[in-house]
Amino acid sequence: MTYAFISLIILSLILLLFSFFKEDKIKSLEQQVEQLSLNALQEQYQTKRRFERLEEELLLPPTYEHLATNKDEGIKKDKKASSLHHNVLQLFSNGMTIDAIAKQLAVPIEEVRLIVNHVKWKER
């Protein structure tokens, strides 16, 4: 009986030591989930940055230099553009809709939207 008791104690100590050295499957799964979570966050951040860059590129004020054939025409276009920006923003701040501003100033609706969106983007 004593031998059986001693052998059971030795067996239990061996199994206890074995359990410390055995790989924990739950910890392995936790590490994998954590790694996947980090990868997803990195991809989300990169996508957000790309989207912000794209928004910045799309909301830049329109340039009129490419329409000019020489420097004098370019200067005239710049003055006209800044005057147009001023008029559009003034009318928009007075509560006019984009369509009404485009009709009043005889400018394409897309151009008015670009100007208004550019100002809204800068205010953020």
Side-chain angles (χ1 to χ4, degrees), residues 44-59:
Q44 182 182 9
Y45 175 75
Q46 290 173 352
T47 304
K48 184 178 178 182
R49 293 293 304 154
R50 288 180 187 151
F51 186 70
E52 287 174 355
R53 282 191 218 128
L54 181 62
E55 281 182 336
E56 288 173 2
E57 289 177 7
L58 292 175
L59 295 177

Side-chain angles (χ1 to χ4, degrees), residues 2 4 13 18 20 36 46-47 72 75 81 86 91 93-94 98-99 103 110 112 115 119 124:
T2 326
L13 289 175
F18 178 72
F20 283 119
L36 285 174
Q46 290 173 352
T47 304
D72 293 335
I75 292 170
H86 177 71
L91 292 173
S93 66
N94 289 338
I98 292 175
D99 295 336
K103 286 179 185 177
E110 292 81 21
V112 175
I115 294 169
V119 171
R124 287 186 198 175

Side-chain angles (χ1 to χ4, degrees), residues 12 15 22 25 32 36 42-43 52 54 60 62 64 69-71 73 76 79 84 86 90 97 106 109 120 122:
S12 66
L15 290 175
K22 187 180 179 213
K25 291 182 181 180
Q32 289 176 359
L36 285 174
Q42 285 177 339
E43 288 179 15
E52 287 174 355
L54 181 62
L60 290 176
Y64 299 96
T69 56
N70 60 32
K71 289 183 182 180
E73 287 183 25
K76 288 177 187 176
K79 287 181 181 177
L84 177 66
H86 177 71
Q90 186 177 13
T97 63
I109 294 173
K120 285 181 181 179
K122 280 189 172 181

Side-chain angles (χ1 to χ4, degrees), residues 3-18:
Y3 292 118
F5 184 70
I6 293 174
S7 63
L8 286 176
I9 290 176
I10 291 174
L11 181 63
S12 66
L13 289 175
I14 291 173
L15 290 175
L16 182 66
L17 288 173
F18 178 72

